[in-house]
Coordinates of all heavy atoms in Angstrom, one line a residue:
R1 N 59.6 48.8 96.0 CA 60.0 47.6 95.4 C 61.4 47.2 95.7 O 61.7 46.0 95.8 CB 59.7 47.6 93.9 CG 58.3 47.6 93.5 CD 58.2 47.4 92.0 NE 56.8 47.2 91.7 CZ 56.2 47.5 90.7 NH1 56.8 48.1 89.7 NH2 54.9 47.3 90.5
H2 N 62.3 48.2 95.7 CA 63.7 47.7 95.9 C 64.0 47.2 97.3 O 65.0 46.6 97.5 CB 64.7 48.7 95.3 CG 65.0 49.9 96.1 ND1 64.5 51.1 95.7 CD2 65.5 50.2 97.3 CE1 64.8 52.1 96.6 NE2 65.4 51.5 97.5
E3 N 63.1 47.6 98.3 CA 63.3 47.1 99.6 C 63.2 45.5 99.6 O 63.8 44.9 100.5 CB 62.3 47.6 100.6 CG 62.6 49.1 101.0 CD 62.0 50.1 100.0 OE1 61.2 49.6 99.1 OE2 62.3 51.2 100.1
L4 N 62.5 45.0 98.7 CA 62.3 43.5 98.6 C 63.3 42.9 97.7 O 63.2 41.7 97.4 CB 60.9 43.2 98.1 CG 59.7 43.7 98.8 CD1 58.4 43.5 98.2 CD2 59.7 43.1 100.2
G5 N 64.4 43.6 97.2 CA 65.3 43.1 96.4 C 65.0 43.0 95.0 O 65.6 42.3 94.2
R6 N 63.9 43.7 94.5 CA 63.5 43.6 93.2 C 64.0 44.9 92.4 O 63.2 45.7 92.0 CB 62.0 43.5 93.1 CG 61.5 42.2 93.8 CD 60.1 42.2 94.2 NE 59.2 42.2 93.0 CZ 57.9 42.1 93.1 NH1 57.3 42.0 94.2 NH2 57.2 42.1 92.0
F7 N 65.3 45.0 92.4 CA 66.0 46.1 91.8 C 65.7 46.4 90.4 O 65.4 47.6 90.0 CB 67.5 46.1 92.0 CG 67.9 46.1 93.4 CD1 68.3 44.9 94.1 CD2 68.0 47.3 94.1 CE1 68.7 45.0 95.4 CE2 68.4 47.3 95.4 CZ 68.7 46.2 96.0
D8 N 65.6 45.4 89.5 CA 65.3 45.6 88.1 C 63.9 46.1 87.9 O 63.7 47.0 87.1 CB 65.6 44.4 87.3 CG 67.1 44.0 87.2 OD1 67.9 45.0 87.3 OD2 67.4 42.9 87.1
E9 N 63.0 45.6 88.7 CA 61.6 46.0 88.6 C 61.5 47.5 89.0 O 60.7 48.2 88.4 CB 60.7 45.1 89.4 CG 60.3 43.8 88.8 CD 59.3 43.1 89.6 OE1 58.2 43.7 90.0 OE2 59.6 41.9 90.0
S10 N 62.1 47.8 90.1 CA 62.0 49.2 90.6 C 62.6 50.1 89.6 O 62.1 51.2 89.3 CB 62.6 49.4 92.0 OG 64.0 49.1 92.0
R11 N 63.8 49.8 89.1 CA 64.4 50.7 88.1 C 63.5 50.9 86.9 O 63.3 52.0 86.4 CB 65.8 50.1 87.7 CG 66.6 51.1 86.7 CD 67.7 50.4 86.0 NE 67.1 49.7 84.9 CZ 67.3 48.3 84.8 NH1 68.0 47.7 85.6 NH2 66.7 47.7 83.8
T12 N 62.9 49.8 86.4 CA 62.1 49.9 85.2 C 60.9 50.8 85.5 O 60.5 51.6 84.7 CB 61.6 48.5 84.8 OG1 62.8 47.7 84.5 CG2 60.7 48.6 83.6
A13 N 60.3 50.6 86.7 CA 59.1 51.4 87.1 C 59.5 52.9 87.2 O 58.8 53.8 86.7 CB 58.5 50.9 88.4
F14 N 60.6 53.2 87.9 CA 61.1 54.6 88.0 C 61.4 55.2 86.6 O 61.1 56.4 86.4 CB 62.3 54.7 88.9 CG 62.1 54.5 90.3 CD1 63.0 53.7 91.1 CD2 61.0 55.1 91.0 CE1 62.7 53.5 92.5 CE2 60.8 54.9 92.3 CZ 61.7 54.2 93.1
E15 N 62.0 54.5 85.7 CA 62.3 55.0 84.4 C 61.0 55.3 83.6 O 60.9 56.3 82.9 CB 63.2 54.0 83.6 CG 64.7 54.0 84.2 CD 65.5 52.9 83.6 OE1 65.0 52.0 82.9 OE2 66.8 53.0 83.8
A16 N 60.1 54.4 83.7 CA 58.8 54.6 83.1 C 58.1 55.8 83.6 O 57.5 56.7 82.9 CB 57.9 53.4 83.2
A17 N 58.1 56.0 84.9 CA 57.5 57.2 85.6 C 58.3 58.5 85.2 O 57.6 59.5 84.8 CB 57.6 57.1 87.1
A18 N 59.6 58.4 85.0 CA 60.3 59.6 84.6 C 60.0 60.0 83.2 O 59.8 61.2 82.9 CB 61.8 59.3 84.7
L19 N 59.8 59.0 82.3 CA 59.4 59.2 80.9 C 58.1 59.9 80.8 O 57.9 60.9 80.2 CB 59.5 57.9 80.1 CG 59.0 58.1 78.7 CD1 60.0 59.0 77.9 CD2 59.0 56.7 78.0
L20 N 57.1 59.4 81.6 CA 55.8 60.0 81.6 C 55.8 61.4 82.2 O 55.2 62.3 81.6 CB 54.8 59.1 82.5 CG 54.4 57.8 81.8 CD1 53.7 56.9 82.9 CD2 53.6 58.0 80.6
F21 N 56.5 61.6 83.3 CA 56.5 63.0 83.8 C 57.2 63.9 82.8 O 56.8 65.1 82.7 CB 57.2 63.0 85.2 CG 56.3 62.7 86.3 CD1 56.5 61.6 87.1 CD2 55.4 63.6 86.7 CE1 55.7 61.4 88.2 CE2 54.5 63.4 87.8 CZ 54.7 62.3 88.6
D22 N 58.3 63.4 82.2 CA 58.9 64.3 81.2 C 58.0 64.7 80.1 O 58.0 65.8 79.7 CB 60.2 63.6 80.7 CG 61.0 64.5 79.8 OD1 61.4 65.6 80.2 OD2 61.3 64.1 78.6
Q23 N 57.3 63.7 79.6 CA 56.3 64.0 78.5 C 55.2 64.9 78.9 O 54.9 65.8 78.2 CB 55.7 62.6 78.0 CG 56.7 61.8 77.2 CD 56.1 60.4 76.9 OE1 55.2 59.9 77.6 NE2 56.7 59.7 76.0
L24 N 54.7 64.8 80.1 CA 53.7 65.7 80.7 C 54.3 67.1 80.9 O 53.6 68.0 80.5 CB 53.1 65.1 82.0 CG 52.2 63.9 81.8 CD1 52.0 63.2 83.2 CD2 50.9 64.3 81.2
A25 N 55.5 67.1 81.4 CA 56.1 68.4 81.6 C 56.3 69.2 80.3 O 56.1 70.4 80.2 CB 57.5 68.3 82.3
V26 N 56.6 68.5 79.2 CA 56.8 69.1 77.9 C 55.5 69.5 77.4 O 55.3 70.7 76.8 CB 57.6 68.2 76.9 CG1 57.5 68.7 75.5 CG2 59.0 68.0 77.3
A27 N 54.5 68.7 77.5 CA 53.2 69.0 76.9 C 52.4 70.0 77.7 O 51.6 70.7 77.1 CB 52.3 67.7 76.8
H28 N 52.7 70.2 79.0 CA 52.0 71.1 79.8 C 53.0 71.9 80.6 O 53.1 71.8 81.9 CB 51.1 70.4 80.8 CG 50.1 69.5 80.1 ND1 49.0 69.9 79.5 CD2 50.2 68.1 79.9 CE1 48.4 68.9 79.0 NE2 49.0 67.8 79.1
A29 N 53.8 72.7 79.9 CA 54.9 73.5 80.5 C 54.4 74.4 81.7 O 55.2 74.8 82.6 CB 55.6 74.3 79.5
D30 N 53.1 74.8 81.7 CA 52.6 75.6 82.7 C 52.3 74.9 84.0 O 51.9 75.5 85.0 CB 51.4 76.4 82.2 CG 50.3 75.4 81.8 OD1 50.6 74.3 81.2 OD2 49.1 75.8 82.0
R31 N 52.3 73.6 84.0 CA 52.0 72.8 85.2 C 53.3 72.4 86.0 O 54.0 71.5 85.6 CB 51.3 71.5 84.8 CG 50.0 71.7 84.0 CD 48.8 72.2 84.8 NE 48.5 71.4 85.9 CZ 47.6 70.4 85.9 NH1 46.9 70.2 84.9 NH2 47.4 69.7 87.0
V32 N 53.5 73.1 87.1 CA 54.7 72.9 87.9 C 54.8 71.5 88.4 O 55.9 70.9 88.5 CB 54.7 73.9 89.0 CG1 55.9 73.7 89.9 CG2 54.8 75.4 88.4
A33 N 53.7 70.9 88.7 CA 53.7 69.6 89.4 C 54.3 68.5 88.6 O 54.9 67.6 89.1 CB 52.2 69.2 89.7
Y34 N 54.2 68.6 87.2 CA 54.9 67.6 86.4 C 56.4 67.7 86.5 O 57.1 66.7 86.5 CB 54.4 67.7 84.9 CG 53.0 67.5 84.8 CD1 52.2 68.3 84.0 CD2 52.3 66.4 85.4 CE1 50.8 68.0 83.8 CE2 51.0 66.2 85.3 CZ 50.2 66.9 84.5 OH 48.9 66.7 84.4
R35 N 56.9 69.0 86.5 CA 58.4 69.1 86.6 C 58.9 68.7 88.1 O 59.9 68.0 88.2 CB 58.9 70.5 86.3 CG 58.8 70.8 84.8 CD 59.4 72.1 84.5 NE 58.6 73.2 84.8 CZ 59.0 74.4 84.9 NH1 60.3 74.7 84.7 NH2 58.2 75.4 85.2
Q36 N 58.0 69.0 89.0 CA 58.4 68.5 90.4 C 58.3 67.0 90.5 O 59.2 66.4 91.1 CB 57.4 69.2 91.4 CG 57.6 70.6 91.6 CD 56.4 71.2 92.5 OE1 55.3 70.7 92.4 NE2 56.8 72.3 93.2
G37 N 57.3 66.4 89.9 CA 57.2 65.0 89.8 C 58.4 64.3 89.2 O 58.9 63.3 89.7
L38 N 58.9 64.9 88.1 CA 60.0 64.4 87.4 C 61.3 64.5 88.3 O 62.0 63.5 88.4 CB 60.3 65.1 86.1 CG 61.5 64.8 85.3 CD1 61.5 63.3 84.9 CD2 61.6 65.6 84.0
A39 N 61.4 65.6 88.9 CA 62.6 65.7 89.8 C 62.5 64.7 90.9 O 63.6 64.1 91.3 CB 62.6 67.1 90.4
N40 N 61.4 64.5 91.5 CA 61.2 63.5 92.6 C 61.6 62.1 92.1 O 62.3 61.3 92.8 CB 59.8 63.5 93.1 CG 59.6 64.8 93.9 OD1 60.5 65.5 94.4 ND2 58.3 65.1 94.1
V41 N 61.1 61.7 90.9 CA 61.4 60.4 90.3 C 62.9 60.3 90.0 O 63.5 59.2 90.3 CB 60.6 60.1 89.1 CG1 61.0 58.9 88.4 CG2 59.1 60.0 89.4
L42 N 63.5 61.3 89.6 CA 65.0 61.2 89.3 C 65.8 61.0 90.6 O 66.7 60.3 90.6 CB 65.4 62.5 88.6 CG 64.8 62.7 87.2 CD1 65.3 64.1 86.6 CD2 65.3 61.6 86.3
V43 N 65.3 61.7 91.7 CA 65.9 61.4 93.0 C 65.7 60.0 93.4 O 66.7 59.3 93.9 CB 65.4 62.4 94.1 CG1 65.8 62.0 95.5 CG2 65.8 63.8 93.8
N44 N 64.6 59.4 93.2 CA 64.4 58.0 93.5 C 65.2 57.1 92.6 O 65.8 56.1 93.1 CB 62.9 57.6 93.2 CG 62.0 58.1 94.3 OD1 62.4 58.4 95.4 ND2 60.7 58.4 93.9
L45 N 65.5 57.4 91.4 CA 66.4 56.7 90.5 C 67.8 56.8 91.1 O 68.5 55.8 91.1 CB 66.3 57.2 89.1 CG 65.3 56.5 88.2 CD1 65.0 57.3 87.0 CD2 65.7 55.1 87.9
A46 N 68.2 58.0 91.5 CA 69.5 58.2 92.0 C 69.7 57.3 93.3 O 70.8 56.6 93.5 CB 69.8 59.6 92.4
H47 N 68.7 57.2 94.2 CA 68.7 56.4 95.4 C 68.9 54.9 95.0 O 69.6 54.2 95.5 CB 67.5 56.6 96.2 CG 67.5 55.7 97.4 ND1 68.3 55.9 98.5 CD2 66.7 54.7 97.7 CE1 68.1 54.9 99.3 NE2 67.1 54.2 98.9
H48 N 68.1 54.5 93.9 CA 68.2 53.2 93.5 C 69.6 52.8 93.0 O 70.2 51.8 93.5 CB 67.2 53.0 92.2 CG 67.4 51.8 91.5 ND1 66.8 50.6 91.9 CD2 68.1 51.5 90.4 CE1 67.2 49.6 91.1 NE2 68.0 50.1 90.1
Y49 N 70.2 53.7 92.3 CA 71.6 53.4 91.8 C 72.6 53.5 93.0 O 73.6 52.7 93.0 CB 72.0 54.3 90.7 CG 71.4 53.9 89.4 CD1 70.4 54.5 88.8 CD2 71.9 52.7 88.7 CE1 69.8 54.1 87.6 CE2 71.4 52.3 87.5 CZ 70.3 53.0 87.0 OH 69.8 52.5 85.8
R50 N 72.4 54.3 94.0 CA 73.2 54.4 95.1 C 73.3 53.1 95.9 O 74.3 52.6 96.3 CB 72.8 55.5 96.1 CG 73.7 55.7 97.3 CD 73.3 56.9 98.1 NE 72.6 57.9 97.4 CZ 71.4 58.4 97.7 NH1 70.8 58.1 98.8 NH2 70.8 59.3 97.0
T51 N 72.1 52.5 96.0 CA 72.0 51.2 96.7 C 72.7 50.1 96.0 O 73.1 49.1 96.6 CB 70.5 50.8 97.0 OG1 69.9 50.6 95.8 CG2 69.8 51.8 97.9
R52 N 72.8 50.3 94.7 CA 73.5 49.3 93.8 C 75.0 49.6 93.7 O 75.8 48.8 93.1 CB 73.0 49.3 92.4 CG 71.5 48.9 92.3 CD 71.2 47.5 92.8 NE 71.9 46.5 92.1 CZ 71.4 45.5 91.3 NH1 70.1 45.5 91.0 NH2 72.2 44.6 90.7
G53 N 75.5 50.7 94.3 CA 76.9 51.1 94.2 C 77.3 51.7 92.9 O 78.5 51.7 92.6
A54 N 76.3 52.1 92.1 CA 76.6 52.7 90.8 C 76.6 54.2 91.0 O 75.7 54.9 90.7 CB 75.5 52.2 89.8
S55 N 77.8 54.7 91.4 CA 77.9 56.1 91.7 C 77.8 57.0 90.5 O 77.3 58.1 90.5 CB 79.2 56.4 92.4 OG 80.3 56.0 91.7
H56 N 78.3 56.6 89.3 CA 78.2 57.4 88.1 C 76.8 57.7 87.7 O 76.4 58.8 87.5 CB 79.0 56.7 86.9 CG 78.8 57.5 85.6 ND1 79.5 58.6 85.4 CD2 78.1 57.3 84.6 CE1 79.2 59.1 84.2 NE2 78.3 58.3 83.7
E57 N 76.0 56.6 87.7 CA 74.5 56.8 87.4 C 73.8 57.6 88.4 O 73.0 58.4 88.1 CB 73.9 55.4 87.2 CG 74.3 54.6 86.0 CD 75.6 53.8 86.2 OE1 76.2 54.0 87.3 OE2 75.9 53.1 85.3
M58 N 74.2 57.3 89.7 CA 73.5 58.1 90.8 C 73.8 59.6 90.6 O 72.9 60.4 90.7 CB 74.1 57.6 92.2 CG 73.5 58.4 93.3 SD 74.6 58.5 94.8 CE 75.9 59.4 94.2
L59 N 75.0 60.0 90.4 CA 75.3 61.4 90.2 C 74.7 62.0 89.0 O 74.2 63.2 89.0 CB 76.9 61.6 90.0 CG 77.6 61.4 91.3 CD1 79.1 61.4 91.1 CD2 77.3 62.5 92.3
E60 N 74.5 61.2 87.9 CA 73.8 61.7 86.7 C 72.3 62.1 87.0 O 71.9 63.1 86.7 CB 73.9 60.6 85.6 CG 73.4 61.0 84.3 CD 73.5 59.9 83.3 OE1 74.6 59.3 83.2 OE2 72.6 59.6 82.6
Y61 N 71.7 61.2 87.7 CA 70.3 61.4 88.1 C 70.2 62.6 89.2 O 69.2 63.4 89.1 CB 69.6 60.1 88.6 CG 69.2 59.2 87.5 CD1 69.9 58.0 87.3 CD2 68.2 59.6 86.5 CE1 69.6 57.1 86.3 CE2 67.9 58.7 85.5 CZ 68.6 57.6 85.4 OH 68.3 56.7 84.3
E62 N 71.1 62.6 90.1 CA 71.1 63.7 91.1 C 71.2 65.0 90.5 O 70.6 66.0 90.8 CB 72.1 63.5 92.2 CG 71.9 62.3 93.2 CD 70.9 62.7 94.2 OE1 70.6 63.9 94.4 OE2 70.5 61.8 95.0
R63 N 72.2 65.1 89.5 CA 72.4 66.4 88.8 C 71.3 66.8 88.0 O 71.0 68.0 88.0 CB 73.7 66.2 87.9 CG 75.0 66.2 88.8 CD 76.2 66.1 87.9 NE 77.4 66.1 88.7 CZ 78.4 65.2 88.5 NH1 78.3 64.3 87.5 NH2 79.4 65.2 89.3
H64 N 70.6 65.9 87.3 CA 69.4 66.2 86.5 C 68.3 66.7 87.5 O 67.7 67.7 87.2 CB 69.0 65.0 85.7 CG 67.9 65.3 84.7 ND1 67.5 64.3 83.9 CD2 67.3 66.4 84.4 CE1 66.5 64.9 83.0 NE2 66.4 66.1 83.4
A65 N 68.1 66.0 88.6 CA 67.1 66.5 89.5 C 67.4 67.9 90.1 O 66.5 68.7 90.1 CB 66.9 65.5 90.6
L66 N 68.6 68.1 90.4 CA 69.0 69.4 90.9 C 68.8 70.5 89.9 O 68.3 71.5 90.2 CB 70.5 69.3 91.4 CG 71.0 70.6 91.9 CD1 70.3 71.1 93.2 CD2 72.6 70.5 92.3
A67 N 69.2 70.2 88.7 CA 69.0 71.2 87.6 C 67.5 71.6 87.5 O 67.2 72.8 87.3 CB 69.6 70.7 86.3
L68 N 66.7 70.5 87.5 CA 65.2 70.8 87.4 C 64.7 71.6 88.6 O 63.9 72.6 88.4 CB 64.4 69.5 87.4 CG 64.4 68.8 86.1 CD1 63.8 67.4 86.3 CD2 63.5 69.5 85.0
R69 N 65.2 71.3 89.8 CA 64.7 72.0 91.0 C 65.3 73.5 91.0 O 64.5 74.4 91.4 CB 65.1 71.3 92.2 CG 64.3 70.1 92.4 CD 64.6 69.3 93.6 NE 63.6 68.2 93.8 CZ 63.8 67.2 94.6 NH1 64.9 67.0 95.3 NH2 62.8 66.3 94.7
E70 N 66.5 73.6 90.5 CA 67.0 75.0 90.4 C 66.2 75.8 89.4 O 66.0 77.1 89.6 CB 68.5 75.0 90.0 CG 69.4 74.5 91.1 CD 70.9 74.4 90.8 OE1 71.2 74.2 89.5 OE2 71.7 74.4 91.6
Q71 N 65.8 75.2 88.2 CA 65.1 76.0 87.3 C 63.7 76.3 87.8 O 63.2 77.4 87.6 CB 64.9 75.1 86.0 CG 64.3 75.9 84.8 CD 65.1 77.1 84.5 OE1 66.3 77.1 84.2 NE2 64.4 78.3 84.5
L72 N 63.1 75.4 88.6 CA 61.8 75.7 89.2 C 61.9 76.8 90.1 O 61.0 77.7 90.2 CB 61.3 74.4 89.9 CG 60.6 73.4 89.0 CD1 60.4 72.1 89.8 CD2 59.3 73.8 88.5
A73 N 63.0 76.8 90.9 CA 63.2 77.9 91.9 C 63.4 79.2 91.2 O 62.9 80.3 91.7 CB 64.4 77.6 92.8
A74 N 64.1 79.2 90.1 CA 64.3 80.5 89.3 C 63.0 80.9 88.7 O 62.7 82.1 88.6 CB 65.3 80.2 88.2
D75 N 62.2 80.0 88.2 CA 60.9 80.3 87.5 C 59.8 80.7 88.5 O 59.0 81.5 88.1 CB 60.4 79.1 86.7 CG 61.2 78.8 85.5 OD1 62.1 79.6 85.1 OD2 61.1 77.6 84.9
Y76 N 59.9 80.2 89.7 CA 58.8 80.5 90.7 C 59.5 80.8 92.0 O 59.4 80.1 93.0 CB 57.9 79.3 90.8 CG 57.3 78.9 89.5 CD1 57.8 77.9 88.8 CD2 56.1 79.5 89.1 CE1 57.2 77.5 87.5 CE2 55.5 79.1 87.9 CZ 56.1 78.1 87.1 OH 55.5 77.8 85.9
P77 N 60.1 82.0 92.1 CA 60.8 82.4 93.3 C 59.8 82.6 94.5 O 58.7 83.0 94.1 CB 61.5 83.7 93.0 CG 60.8 84.2 91.8 CD 60.3 83.0 91.1
A78 N 60.2 82.2 95.7 CA 59.2 82.4 96.8 C 59.0 83.9 97.0 O 59.9 84.8 96.9 CB 59.9 81.9 98.1
S79 N 57.7 84.2 97.2 CA 57.4 85.7 97.4 C 57.3 85.9 98.9 O 56.9 85.1 99.7 CB 56.1 86.0 96.8 OG 55.1 85.1 97.2
D80 N 57.8 87.1 99.3 CA 57.8 87.4 100.7 C 56.6 88.2 101.1 O 55.9 88.9 100.4 CB 59.0 88.3 101.0 CG 60.3 87.5 100.9 OD1 60.4 86.4 101.4 OD2 61.2 88.0 100.2

């Protein structure tokens, strides 16, 4: 959506998706896909804010996504 200049619509959609993934991740802590989905949506929100020049918001979403991904890596380390 934001490629068409509909920034507010895309932000609203990403925020709604983040809320849903967060709720699903809490309700189903054993389902990795929900935490991965939340991290992906947060990266999309960060990109959205980067294109708007809002670096503070961008960094906030990037940090949250990174923290989620680091926790996933700690919880599910790759097996050799």
Side-chain angles (χ1 to χ4, degrees):
R1 287 187 174 153
H2 74 251
E3 287 86 6
L4 301 174
R6 296 163 70 178
F7 292 102
D8 291 333
E9 279 185 53
S10 65
R11 186 196 74 238
T12 300
F14 286 137
E15 287 173 349
L19 179 61
L20 289 172
F21 273 116
D22 187 54
Q23 291 170 341
L24 288 166
V26 168
H28 306 281
D30 59 323
R31 303 287 303 270
V32 175
Y34 296 137
R35 288 192 283 165
Q36 289 172 329
L38 176 57
N40 291 339
V41 170
L42 293 173
V43 168
N44 287 332
L45 273 163
H47 176 71
H48 168 82
Y49 281 106
R50 183 177 333 129
T51 62
R52 298 298 302 247
S55 59
H56 176 75
E57 291 85 351
M58 177 205 66
L59 286 172
E60 187 176 314
Y61 284 111
E62 287 280 351
R63 287 180 180 136
H64 190 177
L66 178 60
L68 281 170
R69 289 180 171 164
E70 287 176 338
Q71 188 60 54
L72 282 167
D75 292 347
Y76 303 96
S79 54
D80 294 309

